[in-house]
Amino acid sequence: HAEIAQEPGLLGERFPVFEAFFWRRLVMDEFHESELWHTAQREMLKFISSHFRWGLSGTPPVGDPRSVDKMSSLFGVTVMGSKHQAFLDHFVRQNNTENLVPLEEKVVE
């Protein structure tokens, strides 16, 4: 057996598979539900290495500073004091009719 197999991962596994690789993208679908996850699940996501981290949510938790802190930590960003709104303005986008990408349709015969 390999030496690494003896060391438990964050969730107690013998071999922390997702932590062993460097990923191009980490996509967290419905990440607003992360507030309901166990602490170990959130912490595991912080240790997965990737070039990019995306969080997809129809309802991101932006109502109070504590929720914004938890959300930002999943992206490796520490938000302190009054910088919550700056984080939201820079990193969080909500689709609406003003910022939709125009659809161009072409008929190919």
Side-chain angles (χ1 to χ4, degrees), residues 6-75:
Q6 300 302 316
E7 297 295 323
L10 288 174
L11 297 178
E13 303 92 14
R14 287 283 188 196
F15 184 72
V17 177
F18 293 117
E19 297 169 32
F21 297 95
F22 190 88
W23 302 88
R24 177 111 171 116
R25 287 181 209 96
L26 172 63
V27 180
M28 297 172 277
D29 192 16
E30 301 297 338
F31 84 97
H32 62 275
E33 295 177 2
S34 67
E35 288 190 327
L36 305 175
W37 299 344
H38 295 287
T39 301
Q41 291 170 318
R42 279 194 306 272
E43 291 301 311
M44 181 192 69
L45 285 173
K46 293 178 189 178
F47 286 97
I48 295 176
S49 299
S50 63
H51 283 291
F52 305 101
R53 291 176 170 263
W54 297 347
L56 307 177
S57 173
T59 55
V62 297
D64 65 280
R66 187 173 177 182
S67 295
V68 175
D69 286 341
K70 283 184 178 181
M71 175 178 57
S72 66
S73 71
L74 291 174
F75 298 98

